[in-house]
């Protein structure tokens, strides 16, 4: 079953394409009717006919018979109103459908999502929060439509800083280093290494020698490096658990994973004639990338000192994801400042034939998290803010708010609920902003039960669940969906739009579209309650209203779930 919108588009397209092959009805939801088709103007123009004529002809075509009525409006718009019987049958089909009309992608695609990607022995900062939250929402939504998601947590676990980090580990002593890292005190550890490096030339020499040992595969150095990686990954896992993010240690495929493939990247680029020498470094100059002076920009694959860099690793990763994982789609959930790097990697991979045109590859870029002063979010002393601390503070505040409201929960349940609300607050604030834009981190606003917030949507869901609990057993299949007034009809139309909201969010890798949809749904619910008392109604009217409540509750739960947000039964 296609969505109601898709059924309309398909039928309407017949009329349009009889007139102009390939033309698009441009169907949108509308204030004046249920839908509005805006594609007439373009068709009329290419036929050289008056738009109203064309509109009238389409309206008379009968293509929407049994589904909707068409009315010509203004200079040539089509207002479309669904037939009550069709509308009711579409809604009835949702009652027994767990997925509420959302069809599975057939055949399923393999989608590789590169997200989170913090750096070993470095604190996760708010930039990683965005990548983690957006990436996880996309992963869940892709899985919901039946696609196979392969998460790739491309952690920074290689490079010259590891010489210094390992030497610092030795100076601290393994036990103390592990103690520091295992409690997630990554800032202290990293800064300790940094200051030792800045303070002592002997330490610098040791660090450089250690990098050589590490790259040469010296077993003892490897063991020490592993301590750093394992401790950090264990810490990241704690953060993911706290955030309720689906990433597991198995998804960690760090930069070092590609080490053995780097030489092949360089020699294959060379064989393809794409490599050029620039100041002793080996580079590719993909067409279309220039600096401010109009000079071609290099993507450096091998540095002058023979070392491989970030770009070579990313090229190897593309090859692995396309060649070995058989990805149909590659999504990189990485901050906007890396746009040029990724665009160049993709361009080189395409030229080298490692990334065929059939594979969608997209940089899912996002903006910054700002503090109240609208500058990059930092602590008062100018340090990066620890993610866990943000979350802990949100949990504390949500907990206090629950205590103040005097809910009759035992303390453990209250803690659990506070955690769910806090996660919802932080995730939703991040996801509901169009991802390219910056946003101000403001816990008060995020945690509010009113307005466009995660807790508001959770509350909308819990309220529905409470109504449904109090109603007791009802045979929802008996609902006739006569939709007696505007608010109930408007709610019904929103419910039918669920598959389209999901499709649109996936198409643009844009979870905020799903947020907008859910918020709109919740607002329609408010108007619905005003016009349609549920529990006091009787007979068929009561069954119908409860069925609408049931569909709305399930839509909210499924939608919040796709965003990685829990939908508690009670609040
Ligand atoms: N570790 C990097 C950082 O913290 C992000 C890695 C993004 N993914 C990638 N394939 N380059 O900035």
């Amino acid at each position: 079953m296609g969505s109601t919108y898709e059924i309309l588009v398909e039928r309407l397209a017949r009329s349009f394409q009889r007139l102009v092959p390939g033309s698009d009805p441009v169907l949108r939801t509308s204030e004046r009717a249920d839908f509005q088709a805006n594609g007439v103007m373009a068709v009329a123009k290419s036929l050289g006919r008056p738009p109203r004529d064309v509109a009238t002809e389409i309206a008379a075509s009968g293509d929407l018979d049994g589904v909707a009525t068409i009315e010509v409006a203004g200079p040539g718009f089509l207002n479309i109103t669904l037939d009550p019987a069709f509308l009711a049958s579409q809604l009835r089909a949702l009652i027994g459908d767990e997925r509420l009309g959302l069809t599975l992608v057939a055949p399923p695609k393999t989608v590789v999502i590169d997200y989170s990607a913090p750096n070993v022995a470095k604190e996760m900062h708010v930039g990683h929060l965005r990548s983690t939250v957006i990436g996880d929402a996309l992963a869940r939504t892709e899985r919901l439509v039946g696609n196979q998601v392969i998460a790739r947590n491309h952690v920074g676990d290689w490079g010259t800083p590891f010489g210094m980090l390992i030497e610092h580990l030795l100076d601290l002593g393994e036990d103390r280093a592990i103690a520091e890292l295992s409690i997630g005190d990554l800032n202290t550890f990293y800064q300790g290494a940094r200051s030792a490096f800045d303070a002592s030339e002997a330490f610098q020499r040791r660090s450089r020698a250690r990098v050589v040992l590490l790259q040469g595969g010296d077993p003892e150095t490897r063991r020490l490096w592993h301590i750093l990686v394992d401790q950090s990954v264990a810490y990241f896992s704690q953060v993911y658990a706290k955030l309720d993010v689906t990433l597991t240690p198995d998804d960690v495929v760090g930069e070092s994973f590609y080490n053995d493939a780097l030489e092949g990247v360089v020699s294959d680029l060379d064989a393809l004639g794409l490599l050029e020498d620039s100041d002793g470094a080996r580079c590719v100059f993909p067409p279309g990338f220039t600096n401010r002076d109009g000079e071609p920009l290099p993507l450096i694959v091998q540095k002058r000192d023979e070392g491989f860099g970030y770009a070579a690793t990313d090229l190897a990763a593309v090859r692995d994801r396309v060649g070995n994982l058989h990805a149909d789609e590659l999504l990189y959930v990485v901050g906007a400042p890396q746009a040029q790097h990724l665009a160049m990697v993709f361009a080189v991979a395409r030229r080298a034939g490692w990334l065929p045109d059939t594979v969608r590859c997209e940089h899912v870029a996002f903006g910054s998290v700002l503090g109240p002063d609208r500058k990059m979010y930092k602590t008062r002393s100018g340090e990066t803010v620890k993610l866990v601390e943000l979350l802990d503070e949100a949990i504390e505040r949500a907990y206090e708010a629950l205590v103040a409201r005097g809910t009759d929960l035992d303390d453990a349940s209250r803690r659990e609920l506070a955690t769910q609300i806090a996660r919802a607050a932080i995730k939703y604030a991040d996801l509901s902003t169009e991802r390219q834009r910056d946003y101000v981190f403001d816990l008060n606003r995020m945690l509010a039960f009113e307005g466009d917030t995660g807790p508001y949507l959770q509350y909308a869901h819990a309220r529905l669940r409470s109504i449904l609990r109090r109603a007791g057993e009802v045979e929802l299949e008996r609902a006739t969906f006569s939709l007696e007034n505007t608010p109930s009809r408007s709610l019904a139309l929103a419910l039918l739009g669920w598959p389209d909201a999901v499709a649109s969010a996936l198409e643009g890798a844009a979870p905020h579209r799903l947020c907008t949809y859910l918020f709109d749904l919740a607002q329609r619910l408010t108007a619905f309650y005003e016009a349609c008392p549920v529990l006091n109604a009787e007979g068929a009217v009561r069954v119908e209203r409860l069925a609408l409540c049931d569909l709305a509750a399930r839509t909210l739960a499924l939608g919040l779930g796709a965003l990685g947000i829990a939908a508690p039964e009670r609040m």
Side-chain angles (χ1 to χ4, degrees):
M1 183 185 85
S3 74
T4 304
Y5 171 83
E6 281 166 345
I7 293 173
L8 285 180
V9 172
E10 197 206 292
R11 290 184 170 230
L12 210 51
R14 292 181 207 157
S15 298
F16 274 76
Q17 290 170 8
R18 266 195 304 272
L19 291 167
V20 174
S23 59
D24 177 359
V26 194
L27 190 70
R28 300 283 176 265
T29 54
S30 159
E31 301 276 289
R32 261 164 280 132
D34 297 339
F35 295 92
Q36 176 177 321
N38 301 337
V40 173
M41 303 299 173
V43 167
K45 198 168 169 211
S46 72
L47 294 173
R49 286 175 51 189
R52 262 195 91 88
D53 266 22
V54 174
T56 310
E57 185 178 331
I58 291 175
S61 70
D63 282 326
L64 292 191
D65 282 2
V67 171
T69 50
I70 310 185
E71 203 183 283
V72 178
F77 296 110
L78 298 171
N79 286 341
I80 293 159
T81 306
L82 296 176
D83 286 347
F86 174 68
L87 184 50
S89 78
Q90 289 295 95
L91 288 163
R92 263 196 305 277
L94 302 184
I95 293 282
D97 179 2
E98 247 173 53
R99 310 166 47 76
L100 298 153
L102 192 66
T103 45
L104 293 171
V105 175
K109 288 185 291 185
T110 299
V111 184
V112 174
I113 311 184
D114 184 313
Y115 71 103
S116 194
N119 300 312
V120 164
K122 264 194 173 173
E123 197 55 59
M124 285 176 91
H125 56 72
V126 283
H128 298 119
L129 169 75
R130 295 217 67 185
S131 175
T132 305
V133 168
I134 296 170
D136 207 52
L138 292 174
R140 290 175 192 257
T141 313
E142 291 283 4
R143 288 188 198 111
L144 184 64
V145 300
N147 285 329
Q148 194 215 343
V149 171
I150 302 181
R152 277 291 182 257
N153 192 352
H154 195 83
V155 300
D157 64 357
W158 201 252
T160 42
F162 282 88
M164 141 191 126
L165 292 167
I166 292 170
E167 287 305 317
H168 181 58
L169 184 151
L170 287 171
D171 285 356
L172 277 184
E174 277 178 43
D175 290 344
R176 227 187 107 196
I178 291 177
E180 223 166 71
L181 291 167
S182 64
I183 57 160
D185 213 348
L186 273 54
N187 272 343
T188 308
F189 184 85
Y190 194 90
Q191 276 155 17
R194 191 74 251 176
S195 359
F197 191 86
D198 292 341
S200 144
E201 270 180 37
F203 188 87
Q204 291 174 15
R205 270 195 303 278
R206 275 164 55 201
S207 300
R208 289 200 194 95
R210 188 57 76 178
V211 175
V212 175
L213 285 173
L214 180 63
Q215 282 165 346
D218 170 59
E220 174 61 6
T221 305
R222 278 278 177 164
R223 186 184 70 79
L224 297 167
W225 170 79
H226 251 296
I227 294 179
L228 293 174
V229 174
D230 294 348
Q231 291 298 326
S232 301
V233 169
Y235 169 67
F236 299 149
S237 298
Q238 284 173 32
V239 178
Y240 298 146
K242 196 154 211 170
L243 268 174
D244 188 17
V245 158
T246 60
L247 283 171
T248 71
D250 288 344
D251 302 322
V252 174
V253 180
E255 293 177 17
S256 66
F257 175 82
Y258 305 99
N259 283 349
D260 293 342
L262 300 179
E263 253 177 48
V265 165
V266 176
S267 58
D268 290 352
L269 287 174
D270 201 15
L272 289 163
L274 293 173
L275 272 194
E276 282 176 54
D277 198 271
S278 172
D279 272 338
R282 314 191 75 189
C283 308
V284 185
F285 289 87
F289 294 90
T290 49
N291 67 13
R292 273 196 216 121
D293 303 325
E295 291 153 4
L297 272 180
L299 185 73
I300 303 174
V301 286
Q302 192 167 17
K303 291 178 278 189
R304 206 163 30 176
D305 64 6
E306 306 274 290
F308 304 98
Y310 192 50
T313 304
D314 263 324
L315 285 169
V318 170
R319 288 183 96 172
D320 181 58
R321 292 166 190 186
V322 175
N324 300 327
L325 303 179
H326 307 291
D328 299 301
E329 275 185 31
L330 300 178
L331 301 180
Y332 289 76
V333 190
V334 181
Q338 294 192 40
Q340 187 176 64
H341 161 74
L342 288 173
M344 290 178 81
V345 166
F346 301 162
V348 170
R350 295 242 187 246
R351 286 194 78 199
W354 302 335
L355 185 56
D357 288 338
T358 47
V359 176
R360 169 186 175 193
C361 178
E362 200 175 320
H363 175 201
V364 182
F366 52 81
S368 309
V369 181
L370 307 177
D373 53 0
R374 298 204 61 89
K375 299 218 180 82
M376 291 297 257
Y377 195 52
K378 292 261 164 73
T379 60
R380 257 181 228 114
S381 53
E383 284 173 51
T384 49
V385 182
K386 280 179 125 186
L387 279 192
V388 252
E389 281 170 11
L390 288 182
L391 197 59
D392 283 338
E393 191 182 338
I395 294 172
E396 225 33 67
R397 290 213 209 169
Y399 179 82
E400 280 158 23
L402 288 176
V403 172
R405 280 183 34 214
T407 43
D408 53 1
L409 292 171
D410 61 74
D411 201 57
S413 318
R414 198 184 282 140
R415 278 255 148 233
E416 174 57 21
L417 183 56
T419 306
Q420 290 180 333
I421 293 174
R423 287 177 185 140
I426 291 181
K427 288 184 177 181
Y428 188 85
D430 195 297
L431 295 168
S432 60
T433 321
E434 207 180 320
R435 62 176 159 72
Q436 318 269 13
R437 302 202 359 217
D438 303 339
Y439 72 89
V440 173
F441 194 93
D442 175 358
L443 272 183
N444 284 333
R445 181 184 59 87
M446 295 174 177
L447 280 163
F449 275 55
E450 299 291 326
D452 190 6
T453 69
Y456 170 73
L457 292 181
Q458 287 181 315
Y459 182 72
H461 170 264
R463 180 172 178 188
L464 286 163
R465 297 296 310 153
S466 146
I467 292 172
L468 291 161
R469 268 193 310 273
R470 278 185 285 154
E473 278 294 305
V474 185
E475 274 184 81
L476 300 179
E477 296 75 21
R478 284 181 22 237
T480 48
F481 295 112
S482 57
L483 304 176
E484 77 249 63
N485 53 27
T486 311
S488 57
R489 187 180 170 93
S490 145
L491 175 61
L493 284 167
L495 293 169
L496 293 174
W498 155 249
D500 311 308
V502 173
S504 151
L506 284 179
E507 192 187 297
H512 82 270
R513 295 185 187 161
L514 203 47
C515 296
T516 305
Y517 169 79
L518 294 173
F519 182 55
D520 173 66
L521 182 65
Q523 286 181 306
R524 290 182 198 225
L525 272 167
T526 310
F528 168 75
Y529 292 136
E530 295 239 326
C532 307
V534 181
L535 291 172
N536 297 334
E538 282 172 13
V541 176
R542 185 171 191 266
V543 175
E544 170 170 331
R545 291 178 181 176
L546 283 167
L548 287 170
C549 286
D550 174 75
L551 292 178
R554 285 162 51 208
T555 306
L556 282 169
L558 215 51
L560 288 171
L563 297 171
I565 297 173
E569 287 287 302
R570 297 163 208 266
M571 269 176 88

PDB file of all heavy atoms in Angstrom, residues 447-466:
ATOM      1  N   LEU A 447      14.221  21.459  28.215  1.00  0.00           N
ATOM      2  CA  LEU A 447      13.507  20.622  29.179  1.00  0.00           C
ATOM      3  C   LEU A 447      12.053  21.038  29.378  1.00  0.00           C
ATOM      4  O   LEU A 447      11.310  20.357  30.084  1.00  0.00           O
ATOM      5  CB  LEU A 447      14.218  20.662  30.531  1.00  0.00           C
ATOM      6  CG  LEU A 447      15.450  19.758  30.684  1.00  0.00           C
ATOM      7  CD1 LEU A 447      16.288  20.198  31.875  1.00  0.00           C
ATOM      8  CD2 LEU A 447      15.032  18.296  30.840  1.00  0.00           C
ATOM      9  N   ALA A 448      11.645  22.163  28.777  1.00  0.00           N
ATOM     10  CA  ALA A 448      10.294  22.669  29.008  1.00  0.00           C
ATOM     11  C   ALA A 448       9.251  21.671  28.518  1.00  0.00           C
ATOM     12  O   ALA A 448       9.436  20.991  27.519  1.00  0.00           O
ATOM     13  CB  ALA A 448      10.120  24.014  28.303  1.00  0.00           C
ATOM     14  N   PHE A 449       8.144  21.591  29.248  1.00  0.00           N
ATOM     15  CA  PHE A 449       7.049  20.709  28.845  1.00  0.00           C
ATOM     16  C   PHE A 449       6.135  21.382  27.830  1.00  0.00           C
ATOM     17  O   PHE A 449       5.198  20.783  27.346  1.00  0.00           O
ATOM     18  CB  PHE A 449       6.236  20.287  30.081  1.00  0.00           C
ATOM     19  CG  PHE A 449       6.821  19.100  30.780  1.00  0.00           C
ATOM     20  CD1 PHE A 449       8.135  19.112  31.204  1.00  0.00           C
ATOM     21  CD2 PHE A 449       6.065  17.956  30.986  1.00  0.00           C
ATOM     22  CE1 PHE A 449       8.692  18.009  31.830  1.00  0.00           C
ATOM     23  CE2 PHE A 449       6.602  16.843  31.622  1.00  0.00           C
ATOM     24  CZ  PHE A 449       7.917  16.865  32.043  1.00  0.00           C
ATOM     25  N   GLU A 450       6.390  22.646  27.572  1.00  0.00           N
ATOM     26  CA  GLU A 450       5.583  23.404  26.609  1.00  0.00           C
ATOM     27  C   GLU A 450       6.470  23.778  25.435  1.00  0.00           C
ATOM     28  O   GLU A 450       7.665  23.997  25.610  1.00  0.00           O
ATOM     29  CB  GLU A 450       5.088  24.712  27.247  1.00  0.00           C
ATOM     30  CG  GLU A 450       4.210  24.532  28.460  1.00  0.00           C
ATOM     31  CD  GLU A 450       2.864  23.943  28.095  1.00  0.00           C
ATOM     32  OE1 GLU A 450       2.374  24.274  26.996  1.00  0.00           O
ATOM     33  OE2 GLU A 450       2.330  23.138  28.883  1.00  0.00           O
ATOM     34  N   GLY A 451       5.878  23.879  24.253  1.00  0.00           N
ATOM     35  CA  GLY A 451       6.653  24.325  23.099  1.00  0.00           C
ATOM     36  C   GLY A 451       7.246  23.157  22.333  1.00  0.00           C
ATOM     37  O   GLY A 451       6.941  21.996  22.612  1.00  0.00           O
ATOM     38  N   ASP A 452       8.089  23.480  21.374  1.00  0.00           N
ATOM     39  CA  ASP A 452       8.616  22.480  20.456  1.00  0.00           C
ATOM     40  C   ASP A 452       9.790  21.746  21.108  1.00  0.00           C
ATOM     41  O   ASP A 452      10.947  21.975  20.765  1.00  0.00           O
ATOM     42  CB  ASP A 452       9.051  23.203  19.164  1.00  0.00           C
ATOM     43  CG  ASP A 452       9.395  22.238  18.051  1.00  0.00           C
ATOM     44  OD1 ASP A 452       9.188  21.027  18.226  1.00  0.00           O
ATOM     45  OD2 ASP A 452       9.881  22.702  17.001  1.00  0.00           O
ATOM     46  N   THR A 453       9.492  20.877  22.067  1.00  0.00           N
ATOM     47  CA  THR A 453      10.555  20.194  22.813  1.00  0.00           C
ATOM     48  C   THR A 453      10.297  18.682  22.857  1.00  0.00           C
ATOM     49  O   THR A 453       9.169  18.223  22.635  1.00  0.00           O
ATOM     50  CB  THR A 453      10.609  20.675  24.280  1.00  0.00           C
ATOM     51  OG1 THR A 453       9.431  20.204  24.959  1.00  0.00           O
ATOM     52  CG2 THR A 453      10.689  22.189  24.379  1.00  0.00           C
ATOM     53  N   GLY A 454      11.334  17.950  23.186  1.00  0.00           N
ATOM     54  CA  GLY A 454      11.203  16.508  23.347  1.00  0.00           C
ATOM     55  C   GLY A 454      10.232  16.129  24.452  1.00  0.00           C
ATOM     56  O   GLY A 454       9.331  15.310  24.241  1.00  0.00           O
ATOM     57  N   PRO A 455      10.388  16.737  25.652  1.00  0.00           N
ATOM     58  CA  PRO A 455       9.447  16.397  26.730  1.00  0.00           C
ATOM     59  C   PRO A 455       7.989  16.695  26.372  1.00  0.00           C
ATOM     60  O   PRO A 455       7.087  15.957  26.775  1.00  0.00           O
ATOM     61  CB  PRO A 455       9.926  17.285  27.891  1.00  0.00           C
ATOM     62  CG  PRO A 455      11.387  17.461  27.634  1.00  0.00           C
ATOM     63  CD  PRO A 455      11.531  17.525  26.141  1.00  0.00           C
ATOM     64  N   TYR A 456       7.746  17.739  25.591  1.00  0.00           N
ATOM     65  CA  TYR A 456       6.368  18.052  25.181  1.00  0.00           C
ATOM     66  C   TYR A 456       5.786  16.901  24.358  1.00  0.00           C
ATOM     67  O   TYR A 456       4.638  16.487  24.549  1.00  0.00           O
ATOM     68  CB  TYR A 456       6.344  19.364  24.389  1.00  0.00           C
ATOM     69  CG  TYR A 456       5.028  19.658  23.706  1.00  0.00           C
ATOM     70  CD1 TYR A 456       3.910  20.066  24.433  1.00  0.00           C
ATOM     71  CD2 TYR A 456       4.896  19.530  22.318  1.00  0.00           C
ATOM     72  CE1 TYR A 456       2.710  20.331  23.808  1.00  0.00           C
ATOM     73  CE2 TYR A 456       3.700  19.797  21.678  1.00  0.00           C
ATOM     74  CZ  TYR A 456       2.598  20.196  22.414  1.00  0.00           C
ATOM     75  OH  TYR A 456       1.411  20.455  21.790  1.00  0.00           O
ATOM     76  N   LEU A 457       6.593  16.363  23.443  1.00  0.00           N
ATOM     77  CA  LEU A 457       6.104  15.264  22.612  1.00  0.00           C
ATOM     78  C   LEU A 457       5.927  13.991  23.438  1.00  0.00           C
ATOM     79  O   LEU A 457       4.977  13.241  23.247  1.00  0.00           O
ATOM     80  CB  LEU A 457       7.056  15.012  21.440  1.00  0.00           C
ATOM     81  CG  LEU A 457       7.092  16.138  20.410  1.00  0.00           C
ATOM     82  CD1 LEU A 457       8.036  15.788  19.272  1.00  0.00           C
ATOM     83  CD2 LEU A 457       5.701  16.411  19.852  1.00  0.00           C
ATOM     84  N   GLN A 458       6.841  13.774  24.375  1.00  0.00           N
ATOM     85  CA  GLN A 458       6.678  12.615  25.265  1.00  0.00           C
ATOM     86  C   GLN A 458       5.397  12.755  26.064  1.00  0.00           C
ATOM     87  O   GLN A 458       4.659  11.797  26.271  1.00  0.00           O
ATOM     88  CB  GLN A 458       7.869  12.522  26.233  1.00  0.00           C
ATOM     89  CG  GLN A 458       9.153  12.065  25.582  1.00  0.00           C
ATOM     90  CD  GLN A 458      10.285  11.963  26.591  1.00  0.00           C
ATOM     91  OE1 GLN A 458      10.466  12.860  27.419  1.00  0.00           O
ATOM     92  NE2 GLN A 458      11.056  10.893  26.528  1.00  0.00           N
ATOM     93  N   TYR A 459       5.130  13.973  26.496  1.00  0.00           N
ATOM     94  CA  TYR A 459       3.926  14.214  27.283  1.00  0.00           C
ATOM     95  C   TYR A 459       2.675  13.994  26.430  1.00  0.00           C
ATOM     96  O   TYR A 459       1.693  13.401  26.887  1.00  0.00           O
ATOM     97  CB  TYR A 459       3.949  15.629  27.868  1.00  0.00           C
ATOM     98  CG  TYR A 459       2.743  15.883  28.718  1.00  0.00           C
ATOM     99  CD1 TYR A 459       2.622  15.274  29.964  1.00  0.00           C
ATOM    100  CD2 TYR A 459       1.697  16.663  28.253  1.00  0.00           C
ATOM    101  CE1 TYR A 459       1.486  15.446  30.733  1.00  0.00           C
ATOM    102  CE2 TYR A 459       0.559  16.845  29.000  1.00  0.00           C
ATOM    103  CZ  TYR A 459       0.453  16.239  30.244  1.00  0.00           C
ATOM    104  OH  TYR A 459      -0.679  16.393  30.991  1.00  0.00           O
ATOM    105  N   ALA A 460       2.714  14.464  25.176  1.00  0.00           N
ATOM    106  CA  ALA A 460       1.577  14.267  24.274  1.00  0.00           C
ATOM    107  C   ALA A 460       1.282  12.771  24.141  1.00  0.00           C
ATOM    108  O   ALA A 460       0.119  12.344  24.137  1.00  0.00           O
ATOM    109  CB  ALA A 460       1.883  14.877  22.903  1.00  0.00           C
ATOM    110  N   HIS A 461       2.334  11.984  24.058  1.00  0.00           N
ATOM    111  CA  HIS A 461       2.168  10.533  23.946  1.00  0.00           C
ATOM    112  C   HIS A 461       1.605   9.950  25.247  1.00  0.00           C
ATOM    113  O   HIS A 461       0.652   9.173  25.233  1.00  0.00           O
ATOM    114  CB  HIS A 461       3.513   9.878  23.601  1.00  0.00           C
ATOM    115  CG  HIS A 461       3.491   8.384  23.699  1.00  0.00           C
ATOM    116  ND1 HIS A 461       3.908   7.705  24.820  1.00  0.00           N
ATOM    117  CD2 HIS A 461       3.051   7.441  22.829  1.00  0.00           C
ATOM    118  CE1 HIS A 461       3.744   6.401  24.627  1.00  0.00           C
ATOM    119  NE2 HIS A 461       3.230   6.212  23.427  1.00  0.00           N
ATOM    120  N   ALA A 462       2.187  10.355  26.383  1.00  0.00           N
ATOM    121  CA  ALA A 462       1.753   9.798  27.668  1.00  0.00           C
ATOM    122  C   ALA A 462       0.281  10.142  27.943  1.00  0.00           C
ATOM    123  O   ALA A 462      -0.471   9.332  28.493  1.00  0.00           O
ATOM    124  CB  ALA A 462       2.640  10.320  28.793  1.00  0.00           C
ATOM    125  N   ARG A 463      -0.120  11.324  27.529  1.00  0.00           N
ATOM    126  CA  ARG A 463      -1.511  11.728  27.741  1.00  0.00           C
ATOM    127  C   ARG A 463      -2.460  10.811  26.957  1.00  0.00           C
ATOM    128  O   ARG A 463      -3.498  10.387  27.457  1.00  0.00           O
ATOM    129  CB  ARG A 463      -1.681  13.181  27.291  1.00  0.00           C
ATOM    130  CG  ARG A 463      -3.089  13.692  27.466  1.00  0.00           C
ATOM    131  CD  ARG A 463      -3.173  15.173  27.190  1.00  0.00           C
ATOM    132  NE  ARG A 463      -4.565  15.634  27.315  1.00  0.00           N
ATOM    133  CZ  ARG A 463      -4.970  16.843  26.981  1.00  0.00           C
ATOM    134  NH1 ARG A 463      -4.107  17.722  26.515  1.00  0.00           N
ATOM    135  NH2 ARG A 463      -6.238  17.188  27.113  1.00  0.00           N
ATOM    136  N   LEU A 464      -2.088  10.505  25.719  1.00  0.00           N
ATOM    137  CA  LEU A 464      -2.894   9.594  24.906  1.00  0.00           C
ATOM    138  C   LEU A 464      -2.954   8.213  25.555  1.00  0.00           C
ATOM    139  O   LEU A 464      -4.009   7.591  25.634  1.00  0.00           O
ATOM    140  CB  LEU A 464      -2.288   9.452  23.499  1.00  0.00           C
ATOM    141  CG  LEU A 464      -2.462  10.648  22.562  1.00  0.00           C
ATOM    142  CD1 LEU A 464      -1.491  10.554  21.400  1.00  0.00           C
ATOM    143  CD2 LEU A 464      -3.899  10.711  22.056  1.00  0.00           C
ATOM    144  N   ARG A 465      -1.801   7.749  26.038  1.00  0.00           N
ATOM    145  CA  ARG A 465      -1.764   6.420  26.650  1.00  0.00           C
ATOM    146  C   ARG A 465      -2.652   6.390  27.898  1.00  0.00           C
ATOM    147  O   ARG A 465      -3.292   5.378  28.177  1.00  0.00           O
ATOM    148  CB  ARG A 465      -0.329   6.032  27.019  1.00  0.00           C
ATOM    149  CG  ARG A 465       0.634   5.908  25.836  1.00  0.00           C
ATOM    150  CD  ARG A 465       0.254   4.801  24.875  1.00  0.00           C
ATOM    151  NE  ARG A 465       0.012   3.547  25.563  1.00  0.00           N
ATOM    152  CZ  ARG A 465      -0.788   2.582  25.139  1.00  0.00           C
ATOM    153  NH1 ARG A 465      -1.450   2.722  24.006  1.00  0.00           N
ATOM    154  NH2 ARG A 465      -0.930   1.484  25.831  1.00  0.00           N
ATOM    155  N   SER A 466      -2.675   7.489  28.609  1.00  0.00           N
ATOM    156  CA  SER A 466      -3.505   7.537  29.801  1.00  0.00           C
ATOM    157  C   SER A 466      -4.994   7.464  29.425  1.00  0.00           C
ATOM    158  O   SER A 466      -5.774   6.748  30.054  1.00  0.00           O
ATOM    159  CB  SER A 466      -3.158   8.799  30.593  1.00  0.00           C
ATOM    160  OG  SER A 466      -4.285   9.314  31.232  1.00  0.00           O
TER     161      SER A 466
END
